[in-house]
Amino acid sequence: MTELIILLIVVVTALAFDFTNGFHDTGNAMATSIATGALRPKAAVTLSAVLNLVGAFLSVEVATTVAKGVVDLDQFNLADPGQAHQLLLVVFAGLIGGIVWNLLTWLLGIPSSSSHALVGGLIGAAVASLGMQGVAWGGVLAKVVVPALCAPVVAGLVATVGTSLVYRFTRPVAERDKNRYFRWGQIGSASLVSLAHGTNDAQKTMGVIFLALVATGSLGADANIPFWVKFSCAVAIALGTYMGGWRVIRTLGKGLVEIDSPQGMAAETSSAAIILTSSHFGMALSTTHVATGSIMGSGLGRKGAEVRWAVAGRMAVAWMITLPAAALVGGLTWLLAHTVGLATDDLVGVVLAFTILVTLAGLIWTRSRRAPVNSGNVNADWDTSTNRVAPATRITADPEEPLSPTDTVGTSTSDSSGRNLR
């Protein structure tokens, strides 16, 4: 009975990670469409949610990579209940590492990789449990680290060339007409990115739940992923996407490059092509890295466009520390749950770690409400003096409603107590 309760907690935690993945990564597909006005903010996230849901059913190659290519299952004797529980705890702790990193970077409005946060959490928990031999380092290097280094560079180059060609071929077209026509292409390419995101990112949670089921003996290591796992992960990431991760959308849409429709279409087309290719080969690629590289490339490919390198630098720092930071949280979580479990009961350790996660999530959410970013202010002008994402405010919560004479769009620099937020 205890093992079943722990398994349920792990599955709920996995779906919670999937949810954070959805709202953290919505901007990868829709930030440029929202920034250029090709789609209204709420319509964009709704479309993205539906396409993420569909995409989650199209491939399981990435799920297989996460399930069998990060934690070395050969190091666990799953016939031994003690080692099976150890693997279950590794999965649980790894998920917490990924969720904590997703929430922190969302609060700061930094587009960071949910994929690498999850992989980092699993690595840290596996090392804490079994030492260095607990990780399938070959799989991590080939299908996580190498793609992480190459993806933003390749995406940037493709988008730079694509943007340059678009502007060269459409030079005789008036700017107003150019933007109007390319908005339709931008909607199509953004939709393709959302579909691609579902084929890549939803699979990662499927792989984690598969690991948990293997640990409890509910599935064999060579079994296929059950339909209920696919369905629940697809719904979780779609719901998260619908929530809109507006803080990250604002950074990608307004903070990195001032973008117009031809740039947006070139960036999104590049992103979709690379993400779909990686899904086919089972690479746990970061859609965030791809989308960010593409958006930067679209800025470099347009003559006279400005790339805000200070913002790009913050992203690069976050990318470099994602794996080790999530690994640290995952490892500490495993040690906490394991130590408490030895002293009392396994379930007590898991419940304590889960309670800490829920409390931390609540604190982060509360902090975010001091300077909210939502569908009503996501497109407010970027403050280049601070390169901050949170300050923009708007009184009306719905961008579909017209502003009244008392509504304002501007930059808030302090909270209700007068403290500076910058």
Side-chain angles (χ1 to χ4, degrees), residues 332-354:
L332 291 176
T333 301
W334 188 92
L335 289 172
L336 171 67
H338 180 66
T339 303
V340 173
L342 288 177
T344 54
D345 181 80
D346 291 338
L347 182 57
V348 174
V350 170
V351 170
L352 175 61
F354 187 76

Side-chain angles (χ1 to χ4, degrees), residues 3 13 23 54 109 193 202 220 226 238 274 332 387 397:
E3 185 178 78
T13 306
F23 74 71
V54 173
V193 174
I274 293 169
L332 291 176
N387 284 319

Side-chain angles (χ1 to χ4, degrees), residues 90-402:
V90 165
V91 173
F92 174 68
L95 285 165
I96 289 182
I99 291 173
V100 169
W101 184 252
N102 273 356
L103 292 176
L104 287 174
T105 49
W106 165 78
L107 177 66
L108 297 172
I110 299 175
S112 178
S113 172
S114 299
S115 309
H116 295 167
L118 175 60
V119 171
L122 289 172
I123 289 174
V127 170
S129 175
L130 288 176
M132 298 298 285
Q133 69 271 20
V135 179
W137 293 108
V140 171
L141 180 64
K143 294 201 172 185
V144 178
V145 175
V146 171
L149 296 174
C150 296
V153 176
V154 172
L157 290 173
V158 172
T160 298
V161 173
T163 303
S164 177
L165 290 175
V166 163
Y167 279 99
R168 181 174 299 177
F169 292 148
T170 60
R171 191 174 297 160
V173 181
E175 196 69 24
R176 177 186 297 178
D177 293 336
K178 189 184 303 183
N179 281 316
R180 184 172 70 251
Y181 296 142
F182 271 98
R183 283 181 180 179
W184 290 105
Q186 196 178 0
I187 292 171
S189 58
S191 299
L192 192 57
V193 174
S194 293
L195 188 70
H197 185 263
T199 68
N200 197 284
D201 278 48
Q203 314 300 318
K204 294 154 191 173
T205 307
M206 295 180 197
V208 168
I209 294 178
F210 179 86
L211 268 178
L213 294 172
V214 169
T216 58
S218 302
L219 288 177
D222 296 322
N224 293 322
I225 296 175
F227 175 79
W228 72 264
V229 174
K230 297 178 185 178
F231 179 79
S232 59
C233 290
V235 171
I237 199 168
L239 288 174
T241 301
Y242 180 73
M243 289 294 291
W246 302 110
R247 306 173 86 83
V248 178
I249 288 175
R250 179 162 163 75
T251 299
L252 284 173
K254 301 296 290 186
L256 195 58
V257 176
E258 285 296 336
I259 202 164
D260 63 13
S261 291
Q263 288 172 268
M265 194 190 82
E268 289 154 2
T269 303
S270 303
S271 296
I274 293 169
I275 295 167
L276 287 170
T277 301
S278 71
S279 296
H280 176 73
F281 289 105
M283 294 180 177
L285 194 68
S286 166
T287 54
T288 301
H289 288 191
V290 174
T292 304
S294 295
I295 292 171
M296 288 183 64
S298 74
L300 294 173
R302 179 189 176 190
K303 187 176 181 180
E306 176 191 3
V307 176
R308 297 190 178 102
W309 294 106
V311 178
R314 291 178 65 204
M315 295 182 193
V317 171
W319 292 358
M320 287 189 290
I321 65 175
T322 295
L323 277 171
L328 178 62
V329 175
L332 291 176
T333 301
W334 188 92
L335 289 172
L336 171 67
H338 180 66
T339 303
V340 173
L342 288 177
T344 54
D345 181 80
D346 291 338
L347 182 57
V348 174
V350 170
V351 170
L352 175 61
F354 187 76
T355 302
I356 292 173
L357 172 65
V358 172
T359 302
L360 181 60
L363 291 173
I364 291 174
W365 172 257
T366 301
R367 179 63 182 85
S368 74
R369 304 318 298 160
R370 294 185 181 181
V373 180
N374 51 45
S375 59
N377 63 16
V378 69
N379 271 345
D381 290 341
W382 186 265
D383 187 347
T384 56
S385 66
T386 62
N387 284 319
R388 297 284 180 170
V389 71
T393 58
R394 182 184 183 184
I395 294 175
T396 184
D398 190 347
E400 318 295 337
E401 298 177 359

